[in-house]
Amino acid sequence: MTFYITMAAIISSIVMLVWFAASSDPWRLLIAYSSISTRLLIGVIFIEMVTGVDFISSVALLFLILNTSGTIIAAYFLGVRR
């Protein structure tokens, strides 16, 4: 059951990235990037819960910080470009 949920999340992320990347709007691409990285973060937290390994939460926290800061920086430069 977990395998099917994981595969559905991966496939939907790939479809979303292709769909948003096809348009020429950079804001849609930023939304796709943020959505996919959020799904990856949820996947990392799920792996921590399943395996019980403690250090994965530190990796998830680092990933969250990098994702948030990258999205903010990209949004800033997209806003300046206008």
Side-chain angles (χ1 to χ4, degrees), residues 41 44-45 48 53-63:
L41 179 65
V44 168
I45 292 172
E48 178 193 7
V53 180
D54 292 334
F55 72 88
I56 296 179
S57 62
S58 301
V59 173
L61 181 63
L62 179 65
F63 187 70

Side-chain angles (χ1 to χ4, degrees), residues 42-77:
I42 292 170
V44 168
I45 292 172
F46 180 73
I47 289 172
E48 178 193 7
M49 290 177 11
V50 170
T51 60
V53 180
D54 292 334
F55 72 88
I56 296 179
S57 62
S58 301
V59 173
L61 181 63
L62 179 65
F63 187 70
L64 176 67
I65 292 169
L66 290 174
N67 174 34
T68 304
S69 61
T71 304
I72 290 171
I73 290 170
Y76 172 75
F77 283 113

Side-chain angles (χ1 to χ4, degrees), residues 2-56:
T2 306
F3 174 75
Y4 295 120
I5 293 172
T6 306
M7 290 308 294
I10 290 172
I11 290 171
S12 66
S13 297
I14 292 171
V15 167
M16 181 184 299
L17 181 63
V18 169
W19 182 36
F20 281 143
S23 70
S24 61
D25 187 16
W27 287 102
R28 296 190 103 188
L29 189 60
L30 181 64
I31 290 170
Y33 163 74
S34 179
S35 175
I36 289 171
S37 57
T38 302
R39 288 180 187 184
L40 286 173
L41 179 65
I42 292 170
V44 168
I45 292 172
F46 180 73
I47 289 172
E48 178 193 7
M49 290 177 11
V50 170
T51 60
V53 180
D54 292 334
F55 72 88
I56 296 179

